[in-house]
Amino acid sequence: HYPCLDDLEGLVAIGRDLPVKMEELKQLELQVASAHSWREKASKTFLKKNSQHSLLEVKRPSIP
């Protein structure tokens, strides 16, 4: 099971509220930022402007 982006964002939000500084939190923040960047680039590549479909809907193989 791989964590969803929402899960990672939640962990980062919780970690930011902790009164300690953790290197792992910085790594998670970088991974979340990287995921957002990838999702935006993929959306620009695969979605038409003002599309009503999500990236997942467009990239998911259709089952006849």
Side-chain angles (χ1 to χ4, degrees), residues 5 7 10 18 36 58:
L5 183 55
D7 296 336
L18 296 175
H36 280 286
V58 171

Side-chain angles (χ1 to χ4, degrees), residues 35-54:
H36 280 286
S37 175
W38 178 89
R39 187 170 60 185
E40 178 147 336
K41 289 175 186 175
S43 293
K44 286 181 182 178
T45 301
F46 295 107
L47 295 178
K48 292 181 179 179
K49 210 173 206 177
N50 299 322
S51 174
Q52 295 180 3
H53 300 287
S54 70

Side-chain angles (χ1 to χ4, degrees), residues 15 18-26 29:
L18 296 175
V20 294
K21 187 171 182 156
M22 297 178 287
E23 183 59 33
E24 292 82 3
L25 178 60
K26 189 67 174 166
E29 289 174 327

